[in-house]
């Protein structure tokens, strides 16, 4: 049983530390990438914004995107409201600009169905997907488009920055998100990012394929579909969008549960990309599959600690008890006053969400309709 413990421990360490370390080494050994330039002929671009009940933010978002530093005659913006029950349509139409098209669907059908519909209405060679609630920098569109001068690039993820990190939990989440973004940047250097940042990414219109409408994560399924066609998915850290950080653990748990349920779905649909010979097999296994299995490795370690030699057993039990005890304590105290509780607490919340995500996916409890987490 001690072998099982050490295997589970090694698996956990590899997933969170070994994989990023190996990525870093590989990225340093790779030759500098070739720089491609568009020259004077930039492509036409469509910015697509699927929206549901975004009355309070949609007009400001549209003004930001329309103010992008990209040639006016080459930029178009399309908003598709997915049966919004508030004033989203009126708010969007209040922005007067000939480059803006606003369409309202009367029946709500979910985000992926809305994306499929929106993509059927655009013909621009480059399409940028974004959500209504995130702020956009003026240079974001141009920086995403610049990466498509490389003919091997099929999609490009931008970078999401978190603002208003006002609670201890949100600050710990911000640290985790910085760690996650560093991994994505390294993956892009060695080959392809496995998933993109949902609120800010771009793709070649010619590579888009209508996706099943029950798809949970468009920002994972679409890039995997593009990789399957033989193209790369890049990461542009200077193409920035910003959103308010999740302030409470319950909000993040619900969001993460949906994300990890979507990972299970994507693994089932794109399992061939896990096979030897796939250009992203290593990244897909290490970044997506193994993350889902870490909670079970942690449980295995807890159960098999008893098989260790006496002194080591006492040390390991004490370490586990301290870590999980701190996480449990954080449930009952004001974590903002004791920030050192946030790291074990956030770690446990995210791993518990992986277990809950598997249950919700297998039980068919995930809706394709997106809701704001409150």
């Amino acid at each position: 049983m001690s072998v099982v413990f050490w295997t589970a421990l090694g698996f956990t360490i590899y997933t969170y530390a070994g994989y990023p370390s190996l990525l870093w080494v590989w990225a340093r050994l790779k030759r500098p990438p070739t720089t491609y330039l568009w020259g004077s002929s930039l492509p036409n671009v469509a910015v697509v914004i699927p929206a549901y009940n975004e009355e309070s933010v949609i007009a400001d978002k549209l003004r930001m995107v329309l103010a992008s530093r990209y040639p006016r005659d080459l930029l178009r913006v399309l908003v598709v409201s997915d049966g919004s029950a508030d004033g989203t349509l009126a708010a969007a139409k209040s922005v007067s600009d000939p480059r803006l098209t606003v369409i309202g669907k009367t029946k709500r059908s979910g985000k992926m169905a809305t994306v499929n519909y929106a993509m059927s209405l655009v013909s621009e060679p480059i399409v940028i997907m974004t959500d209504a609630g995130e702020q956009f920098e003026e240079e974001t569109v141009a920086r995403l488009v610049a990466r498509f001068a490389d003919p091997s690039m099929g999609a490009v993820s931008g970078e999401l920055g978190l603002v208003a990190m006002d609670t201890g939990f949100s600050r710990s989440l911000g640290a985790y998100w910085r760690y996650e973004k560093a991994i994505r940047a390294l993956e892009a250097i060695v080959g392809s990012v496995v998933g993109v940042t949902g609120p800010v990414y771009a793709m070649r219109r010619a590579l888009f394929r209508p996706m099943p409408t029950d798809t949970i994560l468009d920002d994972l399924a679409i890039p995997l579909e593009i990789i399957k066609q033989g193209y790369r998915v890049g990461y542009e850290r200077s193409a920035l969008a910003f959103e308010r950080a999740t302030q409470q653990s319950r909000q993040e748990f619900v969001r993460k549960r949906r994300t990890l349920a979507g990972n299970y779905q994507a693994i089932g649909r794109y399992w061939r990309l896990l096979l030897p010979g796939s250009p992203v097999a290593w990244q897909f296994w290490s970044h997506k599959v193994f993350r889902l299995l870490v909670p079970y490795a942690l449980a295995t370690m807890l159960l098999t600690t008893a098989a260790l030699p006496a002194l080591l057993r006492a040390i390991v039990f004490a370490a586990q008890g301290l870590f999980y005890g701190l996480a449990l304590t954080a449930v009952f105290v004001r974590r903002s006053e004791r920030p050192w509780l946030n790291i074990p607490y956030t770690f446990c919340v995210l791993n518990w969400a992986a277990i809950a995500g598997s249950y919700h996916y297998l039980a068919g409890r995930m809706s394709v309709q997106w809701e704001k987490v409150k």
Side-chain angles (χ1 to χ4, degrees):
M1 292 294 284
S2 62
V3 173
V4 176
F5 171 87
W6 292 114
T7 301
L9 176 61
F11 175 82
T12 303
I13 292 173
Y14 168 78
T15 301
Y16 281 113
Y19 172 60
S21 299
L22 290 173
L23 274 176
W24 184 86
V25 172
W26 190 0
R28 293 299 177 273
L29 295 176
K30 276 189 72 79
R31 298 161 115 195
T34 302
T35 300
Y36 294 88
L37 300 173
W38 281 108
S40 59
S41 181
L42 290 170
N44 288 71
V45 177
V47 178
V48 173
I49 307 176
Y52 173 72
N53 286 358
E54 301 286 4
E55 177 184 9
S56 63
V57 296
I58 188 68
D60 286 342
K61 177 58 177 277
L62 290 174
R63 293 187 187 100
M64 286 180 198
V65 175
L66 290 165
S68 296
R69 292 182 180 175
Y70 197 78
R72 287 180 58 87
D73 59 328
L74 299 180
L75 179 66
R76 182 166 77 97
V77 181
L78 171 64
V79 176
V80 179
S81 170
D82 185 28
S84 295
D86 64 355
T88 296
L89 274 176
K93 290 178 179 178
S94 72
V95 179
S96 178
D97 193 299
R99 298 171 295 164
L100 172 63
T101 303
V102 179
I103 296 175
K105 293 164 57 188
T106 57
K107 184 179 179 181
R108 191 179 180 197
S109 56
K111 186 173 184 180
M112 195 68 249
T114 302
V115 170
N116 285 341
Y117 176 65
M119 292 297 288
S120 73
L121 303 176
V122 299
S123 57
E124 287 80 358
I126 304 298
V127 179
I128 296 175
M129 302 296 304
T130 184
D131 296 332
E134 285 72 28
Q135 299 176 352
F136 241 41
E137 283 203 337
E138 290 181 335
E139 300 288 350
T140 294
V141 170
R143 287 169 177 167
L144 286 172
V145 173
R147 298 296 300 277
F148 290 98
D150 179 350
S152 72
M153 196 65 67
V156 178
S157 174
E159 176 157 325
L160 182 66
L162 300 180
V163 298
M165 290 184 281
D166 301 325
T167 66
F169 178 81
S170 65
R171 287 189 287 273
S172 292
L173 189 63
Y176 170 79
W177 183 232
R178 289 191 294 273
Y179 161 82
E180 185 69 21
K181 290 189 293 186
I183 291 176
R184 293 187 183 190
L186 292 170
E187 287 178 336
I189 293 172
V190 303
S192 282
V193 181
V194 179
V196 294
T197 303
V200 53
Y201 70 97
M203 72 186 101
R204 294 187 189 274
R205 173 63 185 88
L207 301 180
F208 177 78
R209 303 290 181 266
M211 309 297 292
T213 56
D214 66 343
T215 298
I216 298 171
L217 298 179
D218 64 289
D219 52 4
L220 179 56
I222 289 175
L224 289 177
E225 185 66 35
I226 288 172
I227 291 170
K228 195 172 76 170
Q229 297 175 60
Y231 288 81
R232 294 173 54 224
V233 176
Y235 187 67
E236 180 53 61
R237 304 194 78 164
S238 67
L240 295 169
F242 299 92
E243 74 173 8
R244 181 179 174 82
T246 306
Q247 301 299 307
Q248 302 300 327
S249 58
R250 178 190 170 277
Q251 297 172 315
E252 181 61 20
F253 175 82
V254 172
R255 188 195 69 80
K256 197 67 175 177
R257 182 182 65 193
R258 178 181 176 84
T259 297
L260 295 171
N263 283 354
Y264 276 101
Q265 183 187 66
I267 290 166
R269 291 180 175 176
Y270 293 95
W271 59 268
R272 288 180 177 82
L273 291 176
L274 293 167
L275 300 178
S278 161
V280 292
W282 181 45
Q283 297 98 306
F284 203 179
W285 276 106
S286 300
H287 198 170
K288 297 301 180 182
V289 179
F290 289 175
R291 289 279 186 93
L292 296 174
L293 300 178
V294 163
Y296 306 102
L298 295 172
T300 299
M301 289 165 57
L302 194 61
L303 293 173
T304 57
T305 300
L308 298 175
L311 179 59
L312 184 58
R313 178 171 67 240
I315 294 172
V316 172
F317 263 138
Q320 291 178 103
L322 177 63
F323 185 83
Y324 295 121
L326 290 173
L328 185 61
T329 302
V331 176
F332 303 103
V333 303
R334 291 176 61 86
R335 293 184 297 279
S336 60
E337 298 175 357
R338 297 172 177 82
W340 41 273
L341 294 176
N342 287 301
I343 293 176
Y345 179 72
T346 303
F347 179 85
C348 290
V349 166
L350 297 179
N351 277 284
W352 178 243
I355 297 173
S358 66
Y359 167 72
H360 274 70
Y361 174 65
L362 294 173
R365 297 184 60 179
M366 296 308 304
S367 171
V368 296
Q369 298 176 345
W370 73 98
E371 300 280 358
K372 292 181 180 179
V373 180
K374 300 179 181 178

